[in-house]
Amino acid sequence: MTLTTETPTPKPAEARPNAARGALRGSLQQLLAFASLIVIVIFFSIASPHFFTTANIISIFTAATVTGTLALGTTFVIITGGIDLSIGTGMILCGVMAGVFLTYWGWPLWAGVLGAVLFGALIGVVNGFNVAVLKIPPFIATLGMMLIAAGLALVISGTKPIYFKETPDFQSIMNLSIIPGVRFPLGVAVFIVLIVLSALLLSKTIVGRYTFSIGSNEAATALSGVNVVKWKIIIYTISGLFVGIAGVLSASRLSSAQPTGGMGLELEAIAAVVIGGTSLQGGKGSIVGTVIGALIMAVLTNGLRIISVPQEWQSVAVGLVILIAVYLDMLRRRSA
Amino acid sequence: MTLTTETPTPKPAEARPNAARGALRGSLQQLLAFASLIVIVIFFSIASPHFFTTANIISIFTAATVTGTLALGTTFVIITGGIDLSIGTGMILCGVMAGVFLTYWGWPLWAGVLGAVLFGALIGVVNGFNVAVLKIPPFIATLGMMLIAAGLALVISGTKPIYFKETPDFQSIMNLSIIPGVRFPLGVAVFIVLIVLSALLLSKTIVGRYTFSIGSNEAATALSGVNVVKWKIIIYTISGLFVGIAGVLSASRLSSAQPTGGMGLELEAIAAVVIGGTSLQGGKGSIVGTVIGALIMAVLTNGLRIISVPQEWQSVAVGLVILIAVYLDMLRRRSA
Amino acid sequence: MSAPLLEVVGASKSFPGVKALDDVHLDLRAGEVLALVGENGAGKSTLMKLLSGVYTPDEGEFFLSGEQLAITGPKQAQELGISIIHQEFNLMPDLTIAQNIFIGREPRSGGVFLSERSLNRKTRELFDRLGLALDPSEVVGGLTVAKQQMVEIAKALSYNARVLIMDEPTAALNDAEVDTLFDLIRRFTTPTTGVIYISHRMHELRQISDRITVLRDGRYVGTVETATTPTSEVISLMVGREIVSEQRQSDESAPRETVLAVEGLSTKSLLKDVSFELRKGEILGFAGLMGAGRTEVARAIVGADRSESGTITLHGRPVVINNPAEAAKLGIGYLSEDRKQLGVLLERNVRENVVLASLSEYIGALGFVKDKKIERTAREYVTALRIKTPSTSQLVKNLSGGNQQKVVIAKWLAKDCDVLIFDEPTRGIDVGAKDEIYALLNQLAAGGKAIIMISSELPEVLRLSHRVAVMCEGRLTAVLENADATQENIMDYATRFSAYGTVK
Amino acid sequence: SSGGSTGSTDAAAGGDTPYVAIVSKGFQHQFWQAVKQGAEQAADEFGVEITFEGPDTEADVDQQIQMLQTALDKQPAAVGFAALDSQAAGPLLQQAQDAGIPVVAFDSGVDSDIPVTTAATDNKAAAAEAAKQMAEAIGGEGKVALVVHDQTSVTGVDRRDGFVEYMEENEPGIEIVDIQYGGGDQAKSADLAKAIIAANPDLKGIYGSNEGSAIGVVQAVKELGLQPGQLTVVGFDSGKAQIDAIKDGLMLGAITQNPVGIGYETVKAAVAAIDGEELPKSIDTGYFWYTADNIDDPEIAAVLYE
Ligand SMILES: Nc1ncnc2c1ncn2[C@@H]1O[C@H](COP(=O)(O)OP(=O)(O)OP(=O)(O)O)[C@@H](O)[C@H]1O
Ligand SMILES: Nc1ncnc2c1ncn2[C@@H]1O[C@H](COP(=O)(O)OP(=O)(O)OP(=O)(O)O)[C@@H](O)[C@H]1O
Ligand SMILES: [Mg+2]
Ligand SMILES: [Mg+2]
């Protein structure tokens, strides 16, 4: 539909270079966030000969895999303006469920893994229902779930680790070396696939668009005829799927379903997301940012250990680097 | 009510009942939140004869004192739309500083206590500076501080508890029984005084007004000529003061400055605040609500132990009760 | 003649990709109301933000009573005596009216504690002086847009400023409220004060202003005396062309089929037994005073608010609509009056906003979004509605108010709805663009759409509507054919209950 | 500040001194600091460099695995390892063996053939000793409760089960009314001990399974104003607060392991392994029951830490 007016129409030719410039600036920003990471990597490479080795780089990726997977899923929730505190203990619970399915109930490997992942999705559905339908604030809804999941993991496992006696192959999911000679674990490959999938999901599909819309202005999105309740449940379910996958990966890595722990992991994952430039206010964020955030955290932790910084100083150093990295990021954005 | 051009005299008589009605509805809401608490108390009183005894009620208040003090301070920050994750480990660090001042440096009791409280304020100033001046998002700014404080507490104490050998009276701050016969500890009295002070601060002073105003619309507050940067620093400093006081109370309770722990306490305190009806979006909240929230948490924990619910079920129960309490609160608000 | 009260010389301001102001001049004389006009995106708000210290100019000098000024921030501008009502609200929704008005200037008792009582008293005194009837202790978040606007106005007037800047204060007001406002402005202008008044409502300029300054594309075009300049000349200065308009809707007598029938609609808070029919190809105007319930009718129809009773029949079939998503599925779209809160996604770009309501039409086989097609559609509407933006990837928050409104309109035009409910669609839109939007609405109606248009501008209602529904205090008091409707009888129906008491 | 420096600042292998990486179960608590002290003592004595680290809590299996991974990446001459879950560490232990890095287990056994030896306390036996002392003190009759540091770690489970099993097998007159877990946090343990005491006014005794738990119980007794002797408290490990409580009569006594000895033996065994010496399959580092009476004996004083 066009209007006929006397005035000349704007020239689309004029619009294009601007658009290009905008896109360039966007990727430059991420390049710069990436630069923080590079600086840290260079620092540690100089400080220790053991840091920049194939084995250690793989160790870093391995360490980043579980938290990173959680961070990927929770990026969606955070972009809607929500938060998911249940990812840490939820992951533990999914690991325990994998143990129940495979060891106690003797399911075949694929079924047990699928079951555990879907169990994560179920946790997400419940969170989504509580947030979207019952309108419980996300912080509280997922805090409640965090406690419930922590308790259930203990109850269901009988407070004992579950070992994958029936399915010894389970541990290959994370540990199988897929490139002969360099110990490149399958789990890291899974993580990389998840990164690509979630990036596509966020930037190229309707879920992703609505994730941003809801986070930007939920009321306006609803009035535009978008079924916000439905989409929020879907988004929390996506986060739950990643929780399930993380549960399987972590249990596989430890060759056992540990019924405790997980608390604190949610803060680590959320930190990775926020360091990556996603705003807790909602409406802004990216998967690339989250991956960079997760890598910054993993590199820092690993590097400080490699150069043998006394443990009590490590947390001080991580805290300072996070502050500085995010501050520089802010500076750059304001000047951009 | 409409604008009346011909009749310039408004009817103040008409306006007043509305105001009164608003206030009544406000306190009714809090009475209803209080009702949740009462229901829980009644439940436990019926379930166990040992629950509703003077000694146990005092135990509950004692247990609520430290987290409650943290929650009071952080209520201010949350109403501005911020968050303070550093309160848990910050409190640990302040306890250690009390040990340093009193035991290592031999300061007199009052000076050491004051020093520790002011050290808390200093943490708050740094948080406030990072948030208000450097514009680091509160989640990240205080997460960084959380890690730094945790590390510094270990570094400064040499990873050993510090005992108050030089000032044995230090432990009376929390433990002194101020009513003969019933073991009503001084610490609980301090907590009650803090409740009153913070309620006054929030509802009757200019700091409180700007706390709400910033949380409600920070940009508009700034455009109205309020020095938002200054007030945000002040508000984080208030939270820091409460962190310092909590540090002294907790060290006094344990007669020692423990350099570890504190992590997770921030979530507990924030949960108390949010259960009390304060919104993480900012702009809304009350001290009464926070106190009720803190008591709900303390009563639940204590009661479940009294009736000997197995520990793994306790966290499930707490999670469920939080969800239900907040859901009912939401329902009520929507119908009100 | 002495130095002007306020003078701006050679002001320029650029944003990335946009030169918002280019060597602009302006002078405000003491005792006058100076109107500032220009198309959407001409730079009016930007200029005012320079004056009130929100932005710092790239170039330019400011003089207050001949003395050069350096404006460093909002607070300092206030202290210099420059008070502003921004185009977008700057209120704290969680605070009361009184707390909002005196933010930063709270009266204290005994130096420490705030006194709510004296705060409310001061506010009531202010309202008495201004002739407003608002309850100082009411929370601002619960007020209608119009009342919030009055709070903004009262706040600006409370500063005892020398220069009062009003950026489209009447966009949310209807005639009665506008009269009150003009009264206030006249009382405010004394030999030592002056007002800069921005509006897109041309007839208002004649009522209130002494001179008119025109901006176009960020440049100064000229200043004219209001009394001696015909409106058409002002408009052609603004848009650089002639606007032909002021035709009323010709009544089409052929009865058409009913698309939407509302029967006995009531809500808990306001609506009582609202019944009407909307026909294919017609524009049904809704008129009424502030708070009459027009918005509430729209929200109840699309399920944004719960209704207590009433039936809705669409194409002859009764339907139950629980939320706007269901409404949209049935082909009913609602454009909200509250652009900022309920209309746009400020932090997202133009493109995403335009296709928000129709996104499902841009999904490919694998669930992927067709970005090229989206871009094409967005470009189409940017051109059609002449949305002033460097590209479709500009964030909406960086558009001028009127252009944001155009984006919201584009969002609903991009979705193929049978029934469109437009609530104050031309709020903040310049005269030229208004004409284009009117033409668009007519085109849509001619194409067989059924349109409800809620507007507080009676001339607009009269000009566009085939029929006019009038509301008063939650009831529908009349539905008039265009031919029978006049400003007078509409106002009469709109004040039915106030005039005659609560007649059943 | 004094800081908690590790034995070496430059841990990089490649120098002349062999490097031993020690990954413990914890780091922040006094017990682990004492282990570290013993390890550093041995490191000085035998001329090796060590690093010592451990996860934040004993629930962080994953964190510990990462620490072990990093330690192996530094190509140490030997590794000292106190497994939170030995199966979880399986692949990494295998990796160590493949790389020819000897592993010395400490604190609790590793369910694997890979470690060359294990330096540990028999926690179950130690807990049974605490139960025996408790039973004697309350005259073999009445209700007792446990405040345990956690319900999943090997030490938590062994110290709980050792105590419970002893009571069940040997003391029919004693009823265990409650077992609660306080994560080793003093304030939390105090609060839950108070709840237990409130729920069981006729309680005779409480057993705290590690330092934090035991001090928490003592704190509860203090806060409730119970008279010394009204409730029998037995604990585990040492630390100043626990030692003071025993001296003041608030606590009957406690089990102490020999943490310094554990650390010392671990490094010593690692050095022996590097040198290719044969080692026994396990090194029992022992435990002691101490009360106000024997607390100042040189043998006891040597294994206590403040
Ligand atoms: N923060 C900003 N960033 C980028 N561009 C901006 C920003 N603010 C304004 N602009 C642009 O500057 C131009 C002038 O905007 P301004 O708001 O002053 O227009 P206006 O005359 O007030 O229009 P309206 O009548 O629609 O309110 C517009 O093209 C607008 O898109
Ligand atoms: N958010 C709200 N909270 C409380 N009351 C509201 C709210 N919005 C509207 N109302 C009330 O509902 C009534 C109807 O308002 P509505 O917005 O439907 O009127 P309207 O005819 O559209 O007028 P206008 O939009 O010009 O103000 C008013 O009395 C108003 O006070
Ligand atoms: Mg404008
Ligand atoms: Mg309206």
Side-chain angles (χ1 to χ4, degrees), chain D residues 283-302:
Chain D
I283 302 166
D284 187 353
T285 49
Y287 61 84
F288 303 91
W289 166 254
Y290 68 102
T291 63
D293 297 335
N294 68 353
I295 199 161
D296 294 324
D297 291 359
E299 188 197 28
I300 298 290

Short mmCIF file of all heavy atoms in Angstrom, two decimals, chain D residues 283-302:
data_model
loop_
_atom_site.label_atom_id
_atom_site.label_comp_id
_atom_site.label_asym_id
_atom_site.label_seq_id
_atom_site.Cartn_x
_atom_site.Cartn_y
_atom_site.Cartn_z
N ILE D 283 48.19 -45.77 54.52
CA ILE D 283 48.90 -45.21 55.66
C ILE D 283 47.83 -44.68 56.62
O ILE D 283 47.13 -43.72 56.31
CB ILE D 283 49.80 -44.04 55.21
CG1 ILE D 283 50.79 -44.54 54.14
CG2 ILE D 283 50.53 -43.43 56.40
CD1 ILE D 283 51.49 -43.42 53.39
N ASP D 284 47.68 -45.36 57.76
CA ASP D 284 46.67 -44.90 58.71
C ASP D 284 47.26 -43.78 59.53
O ASP D 284 48.25 -43.95 60.23
CB ASP D 284 46.23 -46.07 59.61
CG ASP D 284 45.06 -45.68 60.50
OD1 ASP D 284 44.68 -44.49 60.50
OD2 ASP D 284 44.52 -46.56 61.20
N THR D 285 46.64 -42.62 59.42
CA THR D 285 47.20 -41.47 60.14
C THR D 285 46.63 -41.34 61.54
O THR D 285 47.01 -40.47 62.29
CB THR D 285 46.94 -40.18 59.35
OG1 THR D 285 45.56 -40.15 59.00
CG2 THR D 285 47.77 -40.16 58.09
N GLY D 286 45.63 -42.16 61.88
CA GLY D 286 45.17 -42.25 63.27
C GLY D 286 44.20 -41.18 63.70
O GLY D 286 43.95 -40.21 63.01
N TYR D 287 43.63 -41.42 64.87
CA TYR D 287 42.76 -40.41 65.48
C TYR D 287 42.90 -40.51 66.98
O TYR D 287 43.41 -41.50 67.52
CB TYR D 287 41.30 -40.63 65.05
CG TYR D 287 40.72 -41.97 65.45
CD1 TYR D 287 40.17 -42.15 66.74
CD2 TYR D 287 40.72 -43.03 64.57
CE1 TYR D 287 39.66 -43.38 67.10
CE2 TYR D 287 40.20 -44.26 64.94
CZ TYR D 287 39.68 -44.44 66.20
OH TYR D 287 39.17 -45.64 66.59
N PHE D 288 42.41 -39.47 67.69
CA PHE D 288 42.52 -39.45 69.15
C PHE D 288 41.22 -38.93 69.74
O PHE D 288 40.56 -38.07 69.15
CB PHE D 288 43.65 -38.52 69.60
CG PHE D 288 44.98 -38.88 69.01
CD1 PHE D 288 45.41 -38.33 67.81
CD2 PHE D 288 45.82 -39.78 69.68
CE1 PHE D 288 46.63 -38.66 67.29
CE2 PHE D 288 47.05 -40.11 69.15
CZ PHE D 288 47.46 -39.56 67.95
N TRP D 289 40.87 -39.45 70.87
CA TRP D 289 39.77 -38.89 71.65
C TRP D 289 40.39 -37.96 72.68
O TRP D 289 41.28 -38.35 73.42
CB TRP D 289 38.97 -40.01 72.33
CG TRP D 289 38.03 -39.53 73.41
CD1 TRP D 289 38.20 -39.67 74.76
CD2 TRP D 289 36.79 -38.85 73.22
NE1 TRP D 289 37.15 -39.12 75.43
CE2 TRP D 289 36.26 -38.59 74.51
CE3 TRP D 289 36.08 -38.41 72.10
CZ2 TRP D 289 35.04 -37.91 74.70
CZ3 TRP D 289 34.87 -37.76 72.30
CH2 TRP D 289 34.35 -37.51 73.59
N TYR D 290 39.96 -36.73 72.70
CA TYR D 290 40.54 -35.82 73.70
C TYR D 290 39.45 -35.15 74.51
O TYR D 290 38.36 -34.88 74.02
CB TYR D 290 41.49 -34.82 73.07
CG TYR D 290 40.84 -33.78 72.17
CD1 TYR D 290 40.64 -32.48 72.62
CD2 TYR D 290 40.48 -34.08 70.86
CE1 TYR D 290 40.07 -31.52 71.79
CE2 TYR D 290 39.90 -33.15 70.03
CZ TYR D 290 39.69 -31.86 70.50
OH TYR D 290 39.14 -30.92 69.68
N THR D 291 39.80 -34.91 75.79
CA THR D 291 38.88 -34.24 76.71
C THR D 291 39.68 -33.20 77.47
O THR D 291 40.88 -33.03 77.22
CB THR D 291 38.29 -35.24 77.73
OG1 THR D 291 39.38 -35.75 78.51
CG2 THR D 291 37.56 -36.38 77.04
N ALA D 292 39.03 -32.55 78.41
CA ALA D 292 39.74 -31.54 79.22
C ALA D 292 40.94 -32.17 79.92
O ALA D 292 41.94 -31.50 80.18
CB ALA D 292 38.78 -30.93 80.23
N ASP D 293 40.85 -33.48 80.18
CA ASP D 293 41.91 -34.12 80.95
C ASP D 293 43.21 -34.31 80.17
O ASP D 293 44.29 -34.15 80.70
CB ASP D 293 41.43 -35.50 81.44
CG ASP D 293 40.25 -35.36 82.39
OD1 ASP D 293 40.15 -34.26 83.01
OD2 ASP D 293 39.45 -36.31 82.49
N ASN D 294 43.07 -34.68 78.91
CA ASN D 294 44.31 -35.00 78.19
C ASN D 294 44.67 -33.98 77.12
O ASN D 294 45.57 -34.18 76.33
CB ASN D 294 44.21 -36.40 77.56
CG ASN D 294 43.20 -36.45 76.43
OD1 ASN D 294 42.48 -35.47 76.20
ND2 ASN D 294 43.15 -37.57 75.73
N ILE D 295 43.94 -32.88 77.11
CA ILE D 295 44.11 -31.93 76.01
C ILE D 295 45.52 -31.35 75.95
O ILE D 295 46.00 -30.96 74.89
CB ILE D 295 43.05 -30.81 76.13
CG1 ILE D 295 42.87 -30.10 74.79
CG2 ILE D 295 43.39 -29.82 77.22
CD1 ILE D 295 41.58 -29.33 74.69
N ASP D 296 46.18 -31.28 77.12
CA ASP D 296 47.51 -30.68 77.12
C ASP D 296 48.63 -31.71 76.98
O ASP D 296 49.80 -31.34 76.95
CB ASP D 296 47.69 -29.85 78.40
CG ASP D 296 46.76 -28.66 78.41
OD1 ASP D 296 46.53 -28.08 77.31
OD2 ASP D 296 46.23 -28.30 79.49
N ASP D 297 48.25 -32.99 76.87
CA ASP D 297 49.30 -33.99 76.64
C ASP D 297 50.03 -33.64 75.35
O ASP D 297 49.40 -33.27 74.36
CB ASP D 297 48.68 -35.40 76.45
CG ASP D 297 48.09 -35.92 77.76
OD1 ASP D 297 48.19 -35.18 78.77
OD2 ASP D 297 47.50 -37.03 77.75
N PRO D 298 51.33 -33.80 75.36
CA PRO D 298 52.10 -33.43 74.15
C PRO D 298 51.62 -34.17 72.91
O PRO D 298 51.54 -33.59 71.83
CB PRO D 298 53.53 -33.83 74.50
CG PRO D 298 53.56 -34.07 75.96
CD PRO D 298 52.17 -34.29 76.44
N GLU D 299 51.24 -35.43 73.10
CA GLU D 299 50.82 -36.22 71.95
C GLU D 299 49.54 -35.64 71.32
O GLU D 299 49.40 -35.56 70.11
CB GLU D 299 50.55 -37.66 72.42
CG GLU D 299 50.29 -38.64 71.30
CD GLU D 299 49.64 -39.92 71.83
OE1 GLU D 299 48.94 -39.87 72.87
OE2 GLU D 299 49.82 -40.96 71.18
N ILE D 300 48.62 -35.20 72.18
CA ILE D 300 47.37 -34.62 71.71
C ILE D 300 47.63 -33.21 71.19
O ILE D 300 47.22 -32.84 70.07
CB ILE D 300 46.34 -34.56 72.85
CG1 ILE D 300 46.01 -35.95 73.37
CG2 ILE D 300 45.08 -33.83 72.38
CD1 ILE D 300 45.22 -36.81 72.42
N ALA D 301 48.31 -32.41 71.98
CA ALA D 301 48.54 -31.01 71.60
C ALA D 301 49.16 -30.92 70.22
O ALA D 301 48.89 -30.00 69.45
CB ALA D 301 49.41 -30.32 72.64
N ALA D 302 49.96 -31.90 69.87
CA ALA D 302 50.65 -31.88 68.59
C ALA D 302 49.69 -31.99 67.41
O ALA D 302 49.97 -31.48 66.33
CB ALA D 302 51.67 -33.01 68.53
#
